[in-house]
Amino acid sequence: EAAGYAVYLAEGRKCCGRPLITGGQADKARPWVDHNVALLAGIAAQGIPIVGVEPSCILTLRDEYLGLASDAQRARLVASQAFTFEEFVAREVTAGRFNAPWKAQPGKALLHGHCHHKAMVGNESTVAALRAAGYVVEVIPSGCCGMAGDFGYEIDHYAISRAVGEDRLFPAVRSADANAVIVASGTSCRHQIEHFTDRRAIHLAEALAGALAQ
């Protein structure tokens, strides 16, 4: 809204179905898929961008919904207007439409890319959005944070989950300057980082909000 956009929440939406799909229960997710497609198709038909802040949720609309929805045509319509927050901001910045009042020097941002986002979209849009706000960006050369959906939440996987994060991500966060902003768009990524490093990571949207001139 600070950049001049009217933001509306899609009231009545169901879970995107990602947890069930990941758990091999795609058939149980179909009712939610069809509900969301029916809800969002009218919005997409008007050319209104459907923006999601959790990468896995919005990318499920772009990927798995195409094969799961009962109405494939409307699912394709929804997918065509579905954007991650990073993609939307980067697109609007490039088009000259994202006119937020930024601070002169918001500082340094360390970015940990979400696995699903990196696989389907890449880190480029996130970096572009942060740089547009004036951040000096360093991309942490990390793989997975170790959480991997619900993998790291299970007690039998705790040690493996920690070891994955300790490979590169956690040391980079611990050694980061105290004034640096740690950016991670994935909810699980942020939880994992805070749990093992005592550093709070924030979503890109929070980082951009923090860079606004008051």
Side-chain angles (χ1 to χ4, degrees), residues 46 55 112 124 138 146 168 204 212:
Q46 299 176 61
H112 166 68
E124 292 81 6
E138 178 183 338
R168 279 169 286 178
L204 171 65
L212 291 172

Side-chain angles (χ1 to χ4, degrees), residues 101-121:
W102 304 118
K103 294 177 183 176
Q105 293 180 321
K108 183 176 182 178
L110 267 69
L111 171 64
H112 166 68
H114 183 276
C115 287
H116 200 165
H117 197 279
K118 285 188 289 190
M120 291 190 65
V121 179

Side-chain angles (χ1 to χ4, degrees), residues 19-94:
L20 287 173
I21 295 169
T22 300
Q25 303 181 73
D27 286 344
K28 291 184 178 180
R30 286 181 190 275
W32 292 348
V33 171
D34 287 340
H35 174 90
N36 289 333
V37 167
L39 176 70
L40 298 173
I43 296 171
Q46 299 176 61
I48 299 173
I50 300 166
V51 181
V53 294
E54 176 62 31
S56 287
C57 292
I58 199 70
L59 293 174
T60 297
L61 270 65
R62 288 238 295 264
D63 188 5
E64 285 86 353
Y65 271 35
L66 300 179
L68 290 173
S70 299
D71 190 328
Q73 183 175 353
R74 288 206 294 179
R76 287 193 294 271
L77 178 61
V78 170
S80 71
Q81 290 296 322
F83 301 91
T84 66
F85 182 76
E86 292 86 341
E87 289 179 297
F88 176 76
V89 172
R91 184 189 76 164
E92 296 300 286
V93 166
T94 299

Side-chain angles (χ1 to χ4, degrees), residues 158-202:
Y158 184 85
I160 297 174
S161 175
R162 180 172 191 169
V164 171
E166 291 288 2
D167 180 51
R168 279 169 286 178
L169 175 59
F170 301 159
V173 171
R174 293 191 191 103
S175 64
D177 186 89
N179 294 322
V181 174
I182 311 298
V183 179
S185 290
T187 300
S188 295
C189 301
R190 294 195 299 276
H191 288 176
Q192 184 86 329
I193 289 169
E194 184 168 8
H195 179 70
F196 285 114
T197 71
D198 291 325
R199 287 287 299 269
R200 181 176 179 267
I202 62 175

